[in-house]
């Protein structure tokens, strides 16, 4: 299943990302903001646990998300602002890391570093990558997480191509995808059009 956001505020923020006048600081903050909106959609029906808290009128049983069942995994580097944004909503969620780089000639991704919490079997892993172009990085990231025991993975993304989303769904039909927007197409260099350029470079002012 994939769900593209229909929220007009999300669309507005995406178009801020597309604008080349949006410099790296605002670009990262905007990714953070969109990520918080997407995670709210993805976790709308997530299990809650009854927790006793002290309120201004004394103890109260309330329903809280079972945050200890959530592991956030950004695909670095462009996934980093997504993690920062979601940690503002879920500050006690555990985080793991996958550092991957797409070879710009072959468009194949390579894993350079990983550090993921143990015991993924009973967790929900939220895999964070803003861009789904060919889908290769996301497919490889999901393969990796499944190999080390993840049973439930949800993908949170900002922009995708129809081709990339289809490829991820074919490879991993059990992974639900929550994405802010699916653009028109992939271009001949495997960039998303109209897209926003290279998300990592835009976020970190690399070029
Ligand atoms: C970008 C992006 C995705 C990947 C998408 O990362 O953040 O991870 O490309 O392309 P794909 O769907 O064709 O695999 P990149 O590898 O450029 O690394 P970066 O995050 O360091 O910029
Ligand atoms: N990676 C990006 O950052 N942008 C694209 O359009 C494709 C891959």
């Amino acid at each position: 299943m994939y769900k593209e956001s229909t929220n007009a505020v999300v669309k507005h923020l995406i178009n801020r990302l597309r604008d080349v006048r949006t410099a790296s600081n605002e670009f990262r903050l905007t990714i953070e903001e969109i990520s918080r909106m997407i995670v709210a959609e993805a976790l709308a029906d997530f299990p809650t646990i009854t927790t006793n808290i002290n309120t201004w009128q004394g103890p109260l049983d309330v329903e809280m998300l079972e945050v200890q069942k959530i592991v956030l995994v950004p695909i670095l580097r462009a996934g980093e602002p997504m993690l920062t944004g979601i940690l503002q909503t879920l500050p006690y969620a555990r985080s793991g890391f996958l550092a991957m780089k797409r070879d710009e000639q072959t468009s194949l991704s390579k894993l350079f570093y990983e550090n993921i919490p143990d015991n993924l079997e009973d967790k929900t892993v939220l895999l964070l990558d803003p861009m789904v172009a060919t889908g290769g990085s996301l497919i490889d990231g999901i393969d990796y997480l499944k190999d080390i025991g993840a049973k439930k993975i949800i993908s949170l993304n900002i922009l995708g191509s129809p081709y990339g989303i289809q490829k991820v769904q074919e490879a991993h039909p059990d992974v639900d995808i929550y994405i802010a927007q699916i653009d028109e197409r992939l271009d001949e260099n495997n960039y998303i059009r109209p897209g926003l350029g290279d998300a990592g470079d835009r976020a970190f002012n690399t070029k």
Side-chain angles (χ1 to χ4, degrees):
M1 179 288 273
Y2 75 89
K3 185 163 185 287
E4 182 183 12
S5 177
T6 54
N7 189 317
V9 178
V10 170
K11 306 280 179 217
H12 171 86
L13 292 173
I14 286 198
N15 291 330
R16 293 271 290 277
L17 294 177
R18 296 189 203 279
D19 190 329
V20 292
R21 291 171 302 180
T22 301
S24 59
N25 186 46
E26 186 188 347
F27 189 92
R28 289 193 307 274
L29 292 173
T30 305
I31 295 248
E32 290 177 23
E33 182 75 33
I34 297 170
S35 303
R36 284 193 292 273
M37 298 179 76
I38 299 297
V39 82
E41 290 187 31
L43 298 182
D45 297 317
F46 197 76
T48 58
I49 189 162
T50 306
T51 311
N52 190 266
I53 59 167
N54 279 321
T55 74
W56 67 294
Q57 289 190 323
L60 184 68
D61 282 339
V62 294
E63 295 301 311
M64 301 292 284
L65 286 176
E66 253 192 298
V67 176
Q68 62 274 24
K69 289 278 170 70
I70 296 172
V71 176
L72 306 174
V73 177
I75 297 181
L76 302 178
R77 105 199 114 142
E80 191 280 331
M82 296 186 74
L83 176 69
T84 300
I86 293 171
L87 280 176
Q88 288 169 30
T89 306
L90 305 172
Y92 298 108
R94 287 178 173 214
S95 303
F97 297 87
L98 290 176
M100 301 171 81
K101 179 80 188 90
R102 190 175 85 148
D103 181 312
E104 292 304 336
Q105 305 307 318
T106 63
S107 294
L108 297 175
S109 81
K110 187 170 170 202
L111 179 67
F112 287 92
Y113 171 81
E114 61 77 27
N115 197 331
I116 310 280
D118 293 336
N119 305 321
L120 290 185
E121 289 76 10
D122 66 341
K123 307 287 193 306
T124 295
V125 179
L126 301 184
L127 184 56
L128 316 175
D129 191 339
M131 310 301 278
V132 187
T134 65
S137 304
L138 196 50
I139 291 170
D140 291 350
I142 296 168
D143 283 342
Y144 185 86
L145 292 168
K146 285 186 174 176
D147 280 350
I148 61 169
K151 301 273 183 270
K152 171 87 179 149
I153 301 170
I154 299 175
S155 179
L156 304 187
N157 311 101
I158 307 282
L159 266 192
S161 72
Y163 175 89
I165 296 299
Q166 188 184 334
K167 284 286 165 196
V168 177
Q169 285 201 291
E170 284 169 6
H172 295 290
D174 56 319
V175 173
D176 289 342
I177 300 170
Y178 288 83
I179 186 160
Q181 188 153 330
I182 300 173
D183 270 359
E184 279 165 37
R185 63 182 177 93
L186 267 190
D187 72 11
E188 54 287 359
N189 297 313
N190 286 334
Y191 269 72
I192 297 167
R193 293 288 184 97
L196 49 74
D198 186 302
D201 289 349
R202 295 283 311 278
F204 298 106
N205 222 0
T206 308
K207 286 187 177 148

